[in-house]
Amino acid sequence: MLPSHTVLRSAPSPYRKEQDSKDAHTEVDWPPVRDESQDYDLIKLSRNDTHSILRVWRRWFTCDPYDLEIQNNTVRVIVIYGEDNGFQLSEDHIFKKSIYFMEILQEIIFPDVMISYDFKLNDFLIPDQDTTYACTFLPMPKLSRKHHIIRYEPIIDPDAADIVHHILVYGCDSSLHFTSEIGDCYGGDLRYPKCMNSMFGTAVGGEPFDFPPEMGVSIGTEKDVKYIRLEIHYSNFENKKGILDSSGVRIFYTPELRPHDSAIIMTGIFTFPIHFIPPGSESYRNYGLCNTHLIPKMLGEPVGDLTVTSFLLHGHLTVRRMRIMHYRNGKLIGSLGEDLKYDFSFQQCRNLPETVTVKIGDQIVVECDSSTVDREGVTFGGPSTLNEMCIGFLFYYPELPIAACWSYQDINQVMEALDQERADNIMEAIMNTDSVDWDDETRKTAQQAALKVNHLAMVQNRAGDNVNETSELPPIFEPIPHPCPEYSP
């Protein structure tokens, strides 16, 4: 394939073959309509007893308005199959799957010694309610010397597969008193918010994740986490009864140590209703800010550069695209992960094409672009799947005892831009969003305000303690589209 910035529409394909196939698109009715510009070539089509194999050649960017640009985004693949060319559009003959099309698969070499260990629930009765956050404390493996966790994978109970929304493993502060009962993660148990350090996470569509070969999560030393908090979010919108769940996360660790101890830091928007999306929005963008110069203030000591290797994006049902933007001295210098075709049902950890150095003093901005054209009321940030989240998890080394670097906007400033009276407290300001007559003009005003208002930027440690400051977003720029000449087939 050609580099993504190259457009050579007149260049011949290296795979020109006779073929009974066509480059086509769908309009309103079936069957597909042949494109005037034929931009792909069939390389191979074969069948055996179990598989049909189709290989085609196509440029990343064809500049044909009927073709999908192939970028570092989720691609939704739909295969319609039949016994001959006369097949019809039928649910019985459709296969759908989201894939990360541009993923670079690296050879994985497992160590000679690799041990598995499970963090999971055992026959937990899922409540017959829309949203449940179930939490419990579980011990780490008991080890006499240092090991590295190098892989983890979801354990999804088949009986609860359509109800489990996400699973997170948080490292706990050693000062807590740990018990094994299962409780509400965001209820009255004050121990749960003191286990803030994300160690592993998987969400809808998540697959096993192998840490890059230069790093692993340290366990077995005196300073390492001794207990974890297992959090499972259930979305039981059909209010099913009697479902027992034994889902969780399986880790794999080894005594064959890697060069660096790794960790995860949460960035984005602090999960709270200050994060809101007006109803009827085709595209509304919210922002979370990480000011890394707060990290040494939180730790009380100097901190060196961080090396980011991988990322996981997490939003809910309104999110259509997400970006983690990297700034230095107020200028956008690159990306720490993005998906401009975000799919709630395919939330997978992804490796960056190359590692990225984050210097203390850099800013990280997470942008979530949401659509609420099918919603009548304001959508607020919150734990339910019908609420919204906007979080980027960054995998990095060397490890720091930091859980999150994120922010929330000054909602009173947004409401004042909409001619609402300044509220006496945050909850009153949140309720004032329902007093706005939401239309194209007020949505535009709110969006402009969201780019200019102050943020309370904060860094939190594993116990939930934080340092914070009032800050502004750096300049936000739209993604630059691929340049194409005026189209002519």
Side-chain angles (χ1 to χ4, degrees), residues 349-366:
C349 298
R350 301 172 181 177
N351 292 324
L352 293 167
E354 296 179 344
T355 62
V356 177
T357 298
V358 174
K359 294 182 176 296
I360 297 302
D362 290 355
Q363 291 180 300
I364 299 168
V365 177
V366 180

Side-chain angles (χ1 to χ4, degrees), residues 196-455:
M196 285 290 297
N197 194 69
S198 295
M199 297 182 67
F200 319 105
T202 185
V204 181
E207 299 172 352
F209 179 72
D210 293 280
F211 286 85
E214 69 270 26
M215 67 190 212
V217 177
S218 176
I219 58 173
T221 76
E222 188 60 34
K223 71 177 182 63
D224 291 330
V225 168
K226 303 298 187 296
Y227 270 81
I228 63 95
R229 170 168 68 93
L230 177 67
E231 171 184 301
I232 302 185
H233 174 194
Y234 298 99
S235 292
N236 187 8
F237 289 112
E238 296 181 10
N239 303 120
K240 295 180 179 179
K241 300 177 183 292
I243 305 296
L244 299 177
D245 181 49
S246 296
S247 296
V249 171
R250 176 172 294 132
I251 62 171
F252 296 84
Y253 59 93
T254 178
E256 300 173 32
L257 300 180
R258 294 180 167 188
H260 302 288
D261 294 342
S262 68
I264 297 175
I265 189 169
M266 286 192 294
T267 62
I269 302 176
F270 181 74
T271 303
F272 195 66
I274 287 177
H275 173 197
F276 77 91
I277 305 107
S281 301
E282 289 189 11
S283 173
Y284 189 87
R285 299 180 301 281
N286 276 292
Y287 298 92
L289 173 65
C290 165
N291 284 342
T292 63
H293 72 259
L294 292 175
I295 293 176
K297 291 183 179 181
M298 180 75 251
L299 299 179
E301 60 185 30
V303 174
D305 296 345
L306 307 179
T307 300
V308 178
T309 65
S310 317
F311 67 95
L312 170 65
L313 304 174
H314 182 64
H316 288 177
L317 298 174
T318 74
V319 175
R320 298 296 178 265
R321 71 178 190 181
M322 292 185 69
R323 295 192 291 166
I324 308 178
M325 295 172 281
H326 183 197
Y327 289 80
R328 183 168 296 154
N329 299 322
K331 294 182 179 180
L332 180 64
I333 61 171
S335 170
L336 295 171
E338 65 180 30
D339 193 334
L340 305 186
K341 302 289 184 181
Y342 177 80
D343 184 351
F344 169 79
S345 298
F346 183 55
Q347 300 181 44
Q348 173 66 10
C349 298
R350 301 172 181 177
N351 292 324
L352 293 167
E354 296 179 344
T355 62
V356 177
T357 298
V358 174
K359 294 182 176 296
I360 297 302
D362 290 355
Q363 291 180 300
I364 299 168
V365 177
V366 180
E367 175 190 74
C368 287
D369 193 336
S370 291
S371 172
T372 56
V373 292
D374 58 345
R375 298 194 178 192
E376 296 182 358
V378 175
T379 299
F380 294 104
S384 169
T385 306
L386 294 179
N387 296 139
E388 199 45 84
M389 288 188 178
C390 181
I391 297 174
F393 296 87
L394 297 178
F395 296 67
Y396 73 95
Y397 65 81
E399 175 194 14
L400 295 174
I402 293 295
C405 181
W406 49 5
S407 76
Y408 59 84
Q409 66 182 352
D410 187 330
I411 193 172
N412 256 320
Q413 289 183 313
V414 180
M415 290 297 100
E416 287 175 346
L418 291 163
D419 296 326
Q420 299 288 313
E421 291 187 8
R422 186 171 185 85
D424 293 332
N425 56 67
I426 288 177
M427 292 309 300
E428 183 182 339
I430 291 169
M431 290 187 290
N432 283 346
T433 61
D434 281 326
S435 302
V436 177
D437 182 14
W438 292 110
D439 56 22
D440 288 345
E441 189 61 33
T442 51
R443 283 188 288 267
K444 181 179 178 181
T445 299
Q447 182 67 92
Q448 292 172 339
L451 291 165
K452 299 176 182 177
V453 300
N454 291 331
H455 279 243

Side-chain angles (χ1 to χ4, degrees), residues 116-117 119 139-144 149 219-220 225-226 251 253:
S116 66
Y117 187 86
F119 301 116
M140 292 291 287
K142 296 187 185 307
L143 302 170
S144 59
I149 299 171
I219 58 173
V225 168
K226 303 298 187 296
I251 62 171
Y253 59 93

Side-chain angles (χ1 to χ4, degrees), residues 138-155:
L138 296 171
M140 292 291 287
K142 296 187 185 307
L143 302 170
S144 59
R145 63 188 177 98
K146 181 173 179 174
H147 289 62
H148 269 151
I149 299 171
I150 61 171
R151 174 185 171 92
Y152 69 87
E153 61 185 35
I155 305 170

